[in-house]
Structures are given as structure tokens and as C-alpha cells.
Amino acid sequence: MATPIRPAHEGQNSSAGRRGRSEARERLLSTASALFYREGIRAVGVERILAEAPATRATFYRHFPSKEDLVLAYLRGVDAHIRSDTQAAIEAAPSPADALRAIGAAVADDLARPEFRGCAFLNAANEYPGPDDPVRQVVLEHRAWYVATLTELFTRVFGDSPRRGKPEHAARHFVMMRDGAMTGAHLDGVESVGGAFQRGVEGLLTVLH
């Protein structure tokens, strides 16, 4: 789905003091999320976040013991939002095929956002290449969920068709096309790439079963 920069929200059933701390945390996370997505994670330092939030260093470290904790919170917020949007698309669609089309349409729409800077998870993976890095682990967890969700939808689409393909192959093909669209739209043109991506999704739905 889309690549939002809004962080996940904390619970509401808390005291006034807790709400104050939560508001500060939300402000720091929202500011950092926008900067990380727009400019890159490693390019944005804590001082920049404190200046733009604004917040004190003590407030920052009360909520985020390190910059890595903030980065993980940023990516988990994006993950939570994408999961919510994906579930909403699945529940609103009249069929699994239409759910896949809706997910694909959301990707194409995302490419056209003026603030679009690619996939937050692909961007983070490029900045954190170490296989055991906690940031990369969050990226891999998100992608595993995404592939599993698509695989389940393709399983339902293919059903018992005699031309049935492998749902997991279709899901990974979908993700491969999505990754290409996310990275190539700014080079080859949003309309061209978005249209090609959606035609590719339709091809997976009609050719492989």
C-alpha cells in the first residue's frame, strides 16, 4: 500500500501527565518521520529533530534512549499504517481479486503524491545493509507480512483453477513489480510506471489462473 509518514498513536486512557509525555513523544516521532522519509535516516541528526519538533534533549532521551529507537518507532509506525490500510482494502473489496486491484491502485496513487520519496522500507534497507541490524530486521518483518498477505489473496483468487499457478510466486512477482515502480517512477514518469504496474497486477490475475 502507500508509504505514509504518520507514526502510530499511543493509547488514550492515561493521566494528564502521561498525555503530556505522549504528546511530546508524538511530536518528536512525527517530526522525525517526516525528515527521515524526505531526507534519509542517516542524513538527519538528533539536533535537527530537536530544533524542528521543538523539544529538549532530555525530553528526547526520555522517550527514545537512542536514535536507533526512534528509527525503529518510525518504521513500525509506517508498518502499522500500511497494515491498517491493507486490511481496510481487503474488507471493502467484493472479491480477493478486487482486493489485489485495490492494493495495486493504492501503490499507483502513492507514486503520484508530491511528497513521494520511494518506499520507506526500501530506503531504510539501503541505509542499513547489515543482515543483523535491528532496522533491517523490521524491514524484513514488514516484507514477510506483505508477501504473506498477498499470497493468501492469490490463493483465494486461483482457487481450484486447472491453470492454477503458485500463489507465493504471484505474490513475490507483485512485490517485485511494486519495488520496481517505487524506485523507477521518478526516472521513467509516474503515469507510465503507475500504468505499467497496474497492468502487471491485472496480468497476474488473468494470465496465471
Side-chain angles (χ1 to χ4, degrees):
M1 298 292 288
T3 303
I5 55 176
R6 285 178 288 172
H9 294 278
E10 293 185 345
Q12 300 298 316
N13 53 345
S14 55
S15 67
R18 175 61 178 166
R19 282 198 301 271
R21 289 196 297 273
S22 294
E23 288 168 4
R25 182 183 189 279
E26 183 76 8
R27 185 171 66 254
L28 283 164
L29 183 52
S30 178
T31 300
S33 295
L35 290 170
F36 289 159
Y37 182 67
R38 185 173 68 243
E39 300 182 20
I41 295 171
R42 294 193 183 278
V44 176
V46 171
E47 292 298 333
R48 172 83 179 282
I49 296 166
L50 295 179
E52 296 204 16
T56 66
R57 183 173 287 272
T59 298
F60 178 90
Y61 285 112
R62 182 165 67 246
H63 296 294
F64 303 102
S66 69
K67 181 183 174 182
E68 180 180 275
D69 290 302
L70 178 60
V71 173
L72 294 174
Y74 153 60
L75 291 174
R76 286 170 179 148
V78 176
D79 172 72
H81 194 83
I82 293 175
R83 288 182 189 237
S84 177
D85 278 0
T86 300
Q87 186 59 37
I90 292 171
E91 292 175 357
S95 70
D98 287 322
L100 286 162
R101 291 185 180 100
I103 294 170
V107 171
D109 290 345
D110 201 33
L111 304 179
R113 291 191 296 115
E115 67 274 21
F116 180 71
R117 296 295 184 275
C119 171
F121 295 98
L122 292 178
N123 294 345
N126 286 334
E127 294 196 66
Y128 293 83
D132 297 323
D133 192 290
V135 173
R136 195 173 186 88
Q137 290 303 310
V138 170
V139 172
L140 294 177
E141 289 167 10
H142 171 79
R143 288 175 70 80
W145 160 80
Y146 195 67
V147 170
T149 300
L150 295 173
T151 298
E152 172 60 24
L153 289 171
F154 276 113
T155 297
R156 293 162 60 191
V157 169
F158 292 173
D160 297 324
S161 169
R163 298 176 58 201
R164 174 188 174 94
K166 291 185 179 295
E168 62 272 23
H169 291 178
R172 292 197 176 278
H173 197 147
F174 185 111
V175 174
M176 180 183 69
M177 292 191 302
R178 172 197 172 277
D179 290 350
M182 288 278 187
T183 57
H186 72 292
L187 294 173
D188 301 321
V190 169
E191 291 187 10
S192 174
V193 171
F197 171 72
Q198 289 185 282
R199 289 192 297 275
V201 172
E202 196 63 36
L204 290 175
L205 292 170
T206 58
V207 174
L208 298 181
H209 72 283

